[in-house]
Amino acid sequence: MHFLKGLVLSLLPAAAFAAKKPAADKFQQFHSKALSANPLKLDDGVYSQLTSGARDYSVAVLLTALESRFGCVLCREFQPEWDLLSKSWMKGDKQGASRMLFGTLDFIDGKNTFQSLGLQTAPVLLLFQPTIGPHAVAETGPIRYDFTNGPQSAEQIHSWLARHLDGRPHPHVQRPINWVRGIAITTTILGTITFLSVAWPYLLPIIQNRNVWAAISLIAILLFTSGHMFNHIRKVPYVAGDGRGGVSYFAGGFSNQFGLETQIVAAMYGLLSFATISLALKVPRIADPKTQQIAVIIWGGVIFVMYSFLLSVFRIKNGGYPFWLPPFS
């Protein structure tokens, strides 16, 4: 009897050790798998085994839907960044000092998990913190990362994880060298240098031509004084309906305008400028008096009509504008 009692007492520590051992061995088991294939490919059973019960490790699980029939563009865009992050982390932490695991659960393999979590959208990133051990936290529920601002980079997710993994190593993201991009940039630079060396004798006279620069300057001045930057800043519509089945080309009020309105105003300014320059510089050089008189009448009429139209636009923008000229009122 005393022998049996002593045997039972001697086996109690071994039983307690055996009870604790699975929790400790679980990380080593999954960490060994992650060394050869990371992130871990999960299903309902593996997800439950990895996230339930006592754990002395952290695990980040990406719940996604990669098949094209689900139409999750964001899932497919983010997946390469997720793979890069998990592989970089594992490459920098082969010994498992950070006690961190990465897993991916696709909707095809984890329908029950999606239903139990009440997920209606994807992707969703969950971070499960340790429940035992030196890094255990009081809150046992997962921390959720929502992709509200579109696809995230591996560096952004790395920063988010690092904030929640205090006192542990955070291996940096190591992006592979993009040889195709390097070759493309080098080829483009060499091609540009070759083109410039061959075409420079023909380009130099054009670059040094004052008329070309004058034309570019005038176009830029007309474009920006007519409200081009306003359109880009405010993202204004090109045109709008007038409520009667027609189209409004001018928006009422000085703080509003349409894209087409900017082009019309720029064209008016350009025509007025060209007419004024012609009257000042071109017409005086006409030798024939009768032709000169006709040119004065034509360009004067153009200025009068366009200025009348410009005043009518002012009245559209502000109904209280008091000035007008025929034929537009």
Side-chain angles (χ1 to χ4, degrees), residues 83-120:
D83 293 340
L84 174 64
L85 172 61
S86 59
K87 286 179 171 59
S88 298
W89 194 292
M90 186 57 59
K91 185 177 180 180
D93 185 30
K94 293 183 178 180
Q95 303 302 321
S98 64
R99 310 292 291 179
M100 181 69 188
L101 296 172
F102 293 84
T104 302
L105 180 61
D106 196 286
F107 178 75
I108 293 298
D109 303 316
K111 294 181 180 178
N112 294 333
T113 301
F114 273 76
Q115 292 175 1
S116 64
L117 294 174
L119 297 180
Q120 301 294 328

Side-chain angles (χ1 to χ4, degrees), residues 57-292:
Y57 55 88
S58 298
V59 55
V61 179
L62 177 67
L63 298 106
T64 185
L66 295 175
E67 288 197 9
S68 57
R69 58 175 169 164
F70 298 122
C72 184
V73 178
L74 181 58
C75 296
R76 295 192 292 273
E77 290 180 349
F78 176 68
Q79 191 63 38
E81 295 295 311
W82 176 247
D83 293 340
L84 174 64
L85 172 61
S86 59
K87 286 179 171 59
S88 298
W89 194 292
M90 186 57 59
K91 185 177 180 180
D93 185 30
K94 293 183 178 180
Q95 303 302 321
S98 64
R99 310 292 291 179
M100 181 69 188
L101 296 172
F102 293 84
T104 302
L105 180 61
D106 196 286
F107 178 75
I108 293 298
D109 303 316
K111 294 181 180 178
N112 294 333
T113 301
F114 273 76
Q115 292 175 1
S116 64
L117 294 174
L119 297 180
Q120 301 294 328
T121 59
V124 173
L125 180 59
L126 299 179
L127 175 62
F128 294 85
Q129 294 282 50
T131 57
I132 59 174
H135 304 296
V137 297
E139 180 61 42
T140 58
I143 304 171
R144 177 167 173 165
Y145 185 94
D146 288 308
F147 297 81
T148 54
N149 297 322
Q152 305 293 302
S153 66
E155 288 79 6
Q156 290 173 301
I157 303 299
H158 180 278
S159 300
W160 178 74
L161 291 174
R163 289 197 302 269
H164 296 287
L165 302 177
D166 293 333
R168 286 186 265 179
H170 308 134
H172 295 290
V173 176
Q174 299 177 4
R175 291 189 176 275
I177 299 175
N178 192 339
W179 295 106
V180 175
R181 182 181 180 185
I183 294 172
I185 293 174
T186 303
T187 304
T188 302
I189 293 174
L190 293 176
T192 303
I193 294 173
T194 304
F195 172 78
L196 290 176
S197 62
V198 174
W200 186 251
Y202 306 97
L203 293 176
L204 186 60
I206 298 174
I207 295 174
Q208 293 179 337
N209 192 308
R210 292 191 300 174
N211 293 331
V212 172
W213 287 107
I216 294 174
S217 300
L218 286 174
I219 292 173
I221 291 170
L222 294 173
L223 190 64
F224 289 109
T225 55
S226 61
H228 177 71
M229 287 307 300
F230 182 93
N231 295 346
H232 278 277
I233 295 172
R234 296 291 186 89
K235 306 296 183 184
V236 300
Y238 189 67
V239 292
D242 60 359
R244 300 187 298 272
V247 177
S248 293
Y249 300 102
F250 300 95
F254 287 118
S255 60
N256 302 308
Q257 70 180 32
F258 299 137
L260 183 58
E261 176 183 338
T262 299
Q263 298 174 5
I264 295 174
V265 171
M268 285 192 296
Y269 286 165
L271 190 54
L272 284 170
S273 301
F274 185 75
T276 303
I277 293 172
S278 297
L279 275 176
L281 300 178
K282 300 294 183 181
V283 173
R285 299 176 184 176
I286 299 177
D288 185 19
K290 185 174 290 188
T291 306
Q292 188 182 62

